[in-house]
Amino acid sequence: MSLVKLTIKGISYSQTQNGAYALILNEVDGERKLPIVIGAFEAQSIAIALEKEIKPPRPLTHDLFKSFADRFDIVVKQVIIHKLVDGVFYSSIICERDKIEEIIDARTSDAIALALRFSAPIFTYKNILDKAGIYLNANPSELEGQNPDDDGVLSTPETFGLESDDQKSNDGYNKFSLSELHEFLEMAVQEEDYEKAARIRDEISKRES
């Protein structure tokens, strides 16, 4: 299966649900976005890594891992989002020490937080992006004459508080039909509510898997 390289667009936060954030990944050679719902702690850790000028007074867990790895000459070479099951993304961290490569299972949010600290590339498989990727514009011609970096998806990532737990609810989307869910998904994308879009997309993936 072919790998697709991803970059981080930013983090979208829910205006209505505490603790719910969507990490938005860009397809490097395409127009699709891959939103992944993450918790507040992970959102903060990723945002801090993106904002190079922000340095916490004490190391966060991912910073501690980076220091530990540096001390023992462990390098994170790349991160691969390799599986999507029932709306949950699974990732692997590819590490190397003394020219010996190891593969470590990780939550996707943790893997990406570490990839940023090691300046390691992030990949997913084409079939996962085909299944879970979201197009910003239904009509690609609408993109003509626009700056591809100015799509208004997200503002600069912010630093978030740690007081909320991960949002687990599927917002009752299991009550709706697939056709209704696809309509809701299109509306959420148009409104640039990527946290909602990710949850609807996850419910669709559960039905179609």
Side-chain angles (χ1 to χ4, degrees):
M1 291 182 288
S2 61
L3 287 172
V4 179
K5 189 173 182 180
L6 303 170
T7 59
I8 297 175
K9 175 67 177 178
I11 300 170
S12 172
Y13 56 91
S14 173
Q15 301 287 345
T16 57
Q17 300 180 30
N18 291 328
Y21 302 92
L23 172 66
I24 313 299
L25 302 176
N26 271 348
E27 179 184 16
V28 170
D29 295 319
E31 300 168 0
R32 288 175 291 186
K33 313 291 182 190
L34 187 65
I36 300 174
V37 176
I38 61 175
F41 174 80
E42 293 79 8
Q44 182 194 54
S45 182
I46 290 170
I48 287 175
L50 287 169
E51 291 290 339
K52 303 297 184 183
E53 297 179 0
I54 298 176
K55 188 173 179 61
R58 300 293 296 159
L60 299 177
T61 302
H62 299 111
D63 298 318
L64 177 61
F65 184 97
K66 175 67 163 59
S67 299
F68 184 92
D70 289 343
R71 183 66 59 89
F72 291 95
D73 297 321
I74 300 169
V75 177
V76 172
K77 296 180 64 179
Q78 62 183 1
V79 162
I80 300 176
I81 304 171
H82 64 84
K83 186 167 64 173
L84 173 61
V85 178
D86 293 335
V88 178
F89 292 89
Y90 294 78
S91 293
S92 296
I93 302 173
I94 314 301
C95 303
E96 184 178 85
R97 181 173 183 265
D98 295 333
K99 298 183 179 180
I100 298 175
E101 193 171 273
E102 299 286 350
I103 301 175
I104 300 175
D105 182 47
R107 295 191 309 166
T108 297
S109 54
D110 289 329
I112 290 175
L114 290 174
L116 284 169
R117 286 163 170 80
F118 283 88
S119 299
I122 302 166
F123 297 93
T124 191
Y125 289 110
K126 183 179 180 298
N127 64 322
I128 292 177
L129 195 57
D130 289 342
K131 184 176 182 180
I134 295 174
Y135 282 99
L136 276 179
N137 297 78
N139 183 2
S141 64
E142 294 178 9
L143 294 174
E144 294 180 4
Q146 294 183 15
N147 184 340
D149 295 325
D150 187 24
D151 52 22
V153 179
L154 297 167
S155 59
T156 303
E158 300 179 16
T159 303
F160 305 101
L162 304 179
E163 69 278 1
S164 300
D165 295 326
D166 290 6
Q167 177 59 246
K168 301 295 184 183
S169 170
N170 67 355
D171 300 312
Y173 290 124
N174 55 348
K175 301 175 184 177
F176 298 97
S177 67
L178 267 176
S179 60
E180 289 174 319
L181 289 174
H182 282 289
E183 290 179 6
F184 293 155
L185 177 59
E186 184 177 349
M187 290 173 60
V189 171
Q190 290 175 354
E191 294 170 357
E192 297 175 1
D193 188 342
Y194 284 88
E195 178 269 333
K196 181 189 291 185
R199 293 186 179 281
I200 298 171
R201 187 273 322 280
D202 291 345
E203 178 64 27
I204 292 172
S205 295
K206 289 179 185 179
R207 306 268 192 99
E208 295 181 342
S209 61

PDB file of all heavy atoms in Angstrom, residues 91-107:
ATOM      1  N   SER A  91      -1.508   4.331  15.217  1.00  0.00           N
ATOM      2  CA  SER A  91      -0.260   4.817  14.633  1.00  0.00           C
ATOM      3  C   SER A  91       0.942   4.021  15.130  1.00  0.00           C
ATOM      4  O   SER A  91       0.888   3.372  16.179  1.00  0.00           O
ATOM      5  CB  SER A  91      -0.053   6.299  14.962  1.00  0.00           C
ATOM      6  OG  SER A  91      -1.024   7.089  14.328  1.00  0.00           O
ATOM      7  N   SER A  92       2.027   4.114  14.362  1.00  0.00           N
ATOM      8  CA  SER A  92       3.297   3.503  14.722  1.00  0.00           C
ATOM      9  C   SER A  92       4.387   4.557  14.663  1.00  0.00           C
ATOM     10  O   SER A  92       4.386   5.407  13.772  1.00  0.00           O
ATOM     11  CB  SER A  92       3.649   2.355  13.767  1.00  0.00           C
ATOM     12  OG  SER A  92       2.717   1.315  13.863  1.00  0.00           O
ATOM     13  N   ILE A  93       5.294   4.491  15.631  1.00  0.00           N
ATOM     14  CA  ILE A  93       6.477   5.349  15.637  1.00  0.00           C
ATOM     15  C   ILE A  93       7.663   4.508  15.187  1.00  0.00           C
ATOM     16  O   ILE A  93       7.944   3.464  15.787  1.00  0.00           O
ATOM     17  CB  ILE A  93       6.742   5.925  17.039  1.00  0.00           C
ATOM     18  CG1 ILE A  93       5.535   6.728  17.527  1.00  0.00           C
ATOM     19  CG2 ILE A  93       7.992   6.785  17.040  1.00  0.00           C
ATOM     20  CD1 ILE A  93       5.654   7.195  18.965  1.00  0.00           C
ATOM     21  N   ILE A  94       8.329   4.924  14.124  1.00  0.00           N
ATOM     22  CA  ILE A  94       9.491   4.207  13.619  1.00  0.00           C
ATOM     23  C   ILE A  94      10.742   4.844  14.234  1.00  0.00           C
ATOM     24  O   ILE A  94      11.049   6.006  13.955  1.00  0.00           O
ATOM     25  CB  ILE A  94       9.575   4.256  12.082  1.00  0.00           C
ATOM     26  CG1 ILE A  94       8.207   3.960  11.459  1.00  0.00           C
ATOM     27  CG2 ILE A  94      10.641   3.298  11.571  1.00  0.00           C
ATOM     28  CD1 ILE A  94       7.611   2.625  11.815  1.00  0.00           C
ATOM     29  N   CYS A  95      11.429   4.084  15.078  1.00  0.00           N
ATOM     30  CA  CYS A  95      12.604   4.582  15.788  1.00  0.00           C
ATOM     31  C   CYS A  95      13.864   3.869  15.317  1.00  0.00           C
ATOM     32  O   CYS A  95      13.800   2.768  14.767  1.00  0.00           O
ATOM     33  CB  CYS A  95      12.457   4.369  17.293  1.00  0.00           C
ATOM     34  SG  CYS A  95      10.999   5.125  18.016  1.00  0.00           S
ATOM     35  N   GLU A  96      14.999   4.497  15.596  1.00  0.00           N
ATOM     36  CA  GLU A  96      16.281   3.869  15.252  1.00  0.00           C
ATOM     37  C   GLU A  96      17.313   4.172  16.328  1.00  0.00           C
ATOM     38  O   GLU A  96      17.419   5.308  16.811  1.00  0.00           O
ATOM     39  CB  GLU A  96      16.781   4.384  13.902  1.00  0.00           C
ATOM     40  CG  GLU A  96      18.060   3.686  13.433  1.00  0.00           C
ATOM     41  CD  GLU A  96      18.516   4.188  12.069  1.00  0.00           C
ATOM     42  OE1 GLU A  96      19.215   5.208  12.044  1.00  0.00           O
ATOM     43  OE2 GLU A  96      18.151   3.556  11.062  1.00  0.00           O
ATOM     44  N   ARG A  97      18.073   3.150  16.702  1.00  0.00           N
ATOM     45  CA  ARG A  97      19.192   3.292  17.647  1.00  0.00           C
ATOM     46  C   ARG A  97      20.283   2.314  17.238  1.00  0.00           C
ATOM     47  O   ARG A  97      20.020   1.132  17.045  1.00  0.00           O
ATOM     48  CB  ARG A  97      18.744   3.009  19.079  1.00  0.00           C
ATOM     49  CG  ARG A  97      19.854   3.163  20.112  1.00  0.00           C
ATOM     50  CD  ARG A  97      19.307   3.042  21.520  1.00  0.00           C
ATOM     51  NE  ARG A  97      20.328   3.259  22.524  1.00  0.00           N
ATOM     52  CZ  ARG A  97      21.023   2.276  23.099  1.00  0.00           C
ATOM     53  NH1 ARG A  97      20.788   1.006  22.778  1.00  0.00           N
ATOM     54  NH2 ARG A  97      21.934   2.561  24.015  1.00  0.00           N
ATOM     55  N   ASP A  98      21.485   2.822  17.099  1.00  0.00           N
ATOM     56  CA  ASP A  98      22.622   1.991  16.669  1.00  0.00           C
ATOM     57  C   ASP A  98      22.313   1.257  15.367  1.00  0.00           C
ATOM     58  O   ASP A  98      22.621   0.065  15.215  1.00  0.00           O
ATOM     59  CB  ASP A  98      23.001   0.989  17.765  1.00  0.00           C
ATOM     60  CG  ASP A  98      23.525   1.674  19.019  1.00  0.00           C
ATOM     61  OD1 ASP A  98      24.058   2.791  18.888  1.00  0.00           O
ATOM     62  OD2 ASP A  98      23.380   1.095  20.113  1.00  0.00           O
ATOM     63  N   LYS A  99      21.637   1.970  14.455  1.00  0.00           N
ATOM     64  CA  LYS A  99      21.286   1.445  13.130  1.00  0.00           C
ATOM     65  C   LYS A  99      20.307   0.270  13.190  1.00  0.00           C
ATOM     66  O   LYS A  99      20.138  -0.461  12.212  1.00  0.00           O
ATOM     67  CB  LYS A  99      22.544   1.030  12.360  1.00  0.00           C
ATOM     68  CG  LYS A  99      23.490   2.205  12.087  1.00  0.00           C
ATOM     69  CD  LYS A  99      24.683   1.764  11.255  1.00  0.00           C
ATOM     70  CE  LYS A  99      25.597   2.963  10.970  1.00  0.00           C
ATOM     71  NZ  LYS A  99      26.776   2.583  10.155  1.00  0.00           N
ATOM     72  N   ILE A 100      19.656   0.105  14.324  1.00  0.00           N
ATOM     73  CA  ILE A 100      18.626  -0.930  14.477  1.00  0.00           C
ATOM     74  C   ILE A 100      17.268  -0.230  14.542  1.00  0.00           C
ATOM     75  O   ILE A 100      17.048   0.647  15.378  1.00  0.00           O
ATOM     76  CB  ILE A 100      18.842  -1.778  15.742  1.00  0.00           C
ATOM     77  CG1 ILE A 100      20.185  -2.509  15.663  1.00  0.00           C
ATOM     78  CG2 ILE A 100      17.692  -2.778  15.922  1.00  0.00           C
ATOM     79  CD1 ILE A 100      20.528  -3.261  16.928  1.00  0.00           C
ATOM     80  N   GLU A 101      16.373  -0.614  13.658  1.00  0.00           N
ATOM     81  CA  GLU A 101      15.059   0.032  13.574  1.00  0.00           C
ATOM     82  C   GLU A 101      14.030  -0.734  14.391  1.00  0.00           C
ATOM     83  O   GLU A 101      13.983  -1.965  14.359  1.00  0.00           O
ATOM     84  CB  GLU A 101      14.625   0.104  12.105  1.00  0.00           C
ATOM     85  CG  GLU A 101      13.434   1.020  11.856  1.00  0.00           C
ATOM     86  CD  GLU A 101      13.180   1.230  10.377  1.00  0.00           C
ATOM     87  OE1 GLU A 101      13.799   2.140   9.796  1.00  0.00           O
ATOM     88  OE2 GLU A 101      12.384   0.475   9.803  1.00  0.00           O
ATOM     89  N   GLU A 102      13.223   0.009  15.123  1.00  0.00           N
ATOM     90  CA  GLU A 102      12.153  -0.572  15.933  1.00  0.00           C
ATOM     91  C   GLU A 102      10.845   0.135  15.611  1.00  0.00           C
ATOM     92  O   GLU A 102      10.832   1.325  15.281  1.00  0.00           O
ATOM     93  CB  GLU A 102      12.451  -0.418  17.430  1.00  0.00           C
ATOM     94  CG  GLU A 102      13.715  -1.097  17.903  1.00  0.00           C
ATOM     95  CD  GLU A 102      13.583  -2.608  17.997  1.00  0.00           C
ATOM     96  OE1 GLU A 102      12.435  -3.118  17.871  1.00  0.00           O
ATOM     97  OE2 GLU A 102      14.608  -3.275  18.186  1.00  0.00           O
ATOM     98  N   ILE A 103       9.742  -0.594  15.719  1.00  0.00           N
ATOM     99  CA  ILE A 103       8.411  -0.035  15.495  1.00  0.00           C
ATOM    100  C   ILE A 103       7.641  -0.078  16.812  1.00  0.00           C
ATOM    101  O   ILE A 103       7.504  -1.138  17.421  1.00  0.00           O
ATOM    102  CB  ILE A 103       7.643  -0.819  14.406  1.00  0.00           C
ATOM    103  CG1 ILE A 103       8.424  -0.787  13.089  1.00  0.00           C
ATOM    104  CG2 ILE A 103       6.249  -0.241  14.216  1.00  0.00           C
ATOM    105  CD1 ILE A 103       7.803  -1.629  11.996  1.00  0.00           C
ATOM    106  N   ILE A 104       7.154   1.080  17.257  1.00  0.00           N
ATOM    107  CA  ILE A 104       6.467   1.190  18.541  1.00  0.00           C
ATOM    108  C   ILE A 104       5.034   1.644  18.304  1.00  0.00           C
ATOM    109  O   ILE A 104       4.789   2.641  17.620  1.00  0.00           O
ATOM    110  CB  ILE A 104       7.191   2.189  19.467  1.00  0.00           C
ATOM    111  CG1 ILE A 104       8.627   1.715  19.723  1.00  0.00           C
ATOM    112  CG2 ILE A 104       6.434   2.359  20.785  1.00  0.00           C
ATOM    113  CD1 ILE A 104       9.453   2.707  20.520  1.00  0.00           C
ATOM    114  N   ASP A 105       4.087   0.916  18.877  1.00  0.00           N
ATOM    115  CA  ASP A 105       2.672   1.279  18.777  1.00  0.00           C
ATOM    116  C   ASP A 105       2.401   2.511  19.629  1.00  0.00           C
ATOM    117  O   ASP A 105       2.969   2.661  20.721  1.00  0.00           O
ATOM    118  CB  ASP A 105       1.806   0.105  19.242  1.00  0.00           C
ATOM    119  CG  ASP A 105       0.326   0.408  19.122  1.00  0.00           C
ATOM    120  OD1 ASP A 105      -0.087   0.917  18.064  1.00  0.00           O
ATOM    121  OD2 ASP A 105      -0.420   0.145  20.091  1.00  0.00           O
ATOM    122  N   ALA A 106       1.552   3.421  19.140  1.00  0.00           N
ATOM    123  CA  ALA A 106       1.274   4.648  19.885  1.00  0.00           C
ATOM    124  C   ALA A 106      -0.081   5.202  19.513  1.00  0.00           C
ATOM    125  O   ALA A 106      -0.604   4.944  18.421  1.00  0.00           O
ATOM    126  CB  ALA A 106       2.354   5.700  19.600  1.00  0.00           C
ATOM    127  N   ARG A 107      -0.664   5.965  20.431  1.00  0.00           N
ATOM    128  CA  ARG A 107      -1.844   6.745  20.070  1.00  0.00           C
ATOM    129  C   ARG A 107      -1.417   7.790  19.047  1.00  0.00           C
ATOM    130  O   ARG A 107      -0.300   8.320  19.105  1.00  0.00           O
ATOM    131  CB  ARG A 107      -2.426   7.446  21.300  1.00  0.00           C
ATOM    132  CG  ARG A 107      -2.974   6.511  22.354  1.00  0.00           C
ATOM    133  CD  ARG A 107      -3.764   7.280  23.399  1.00  0.00           C
ATOM    134  NE  ARG A 107      -3.010   8.403  23.940  1.00  0.00           N
ATOM    135  CZ  ARG A 107      -3.546   9.387  24.653  1.00  0.00           C
ATOM    136  NH1 ARG A 107      -4.842   9.404  24.890  1.00  0.00           N
ATOM    137  NH2 ARG A 107      -2.798  10.364  25.122  1.00  0.00           N
TER     138      ARG A 107
END
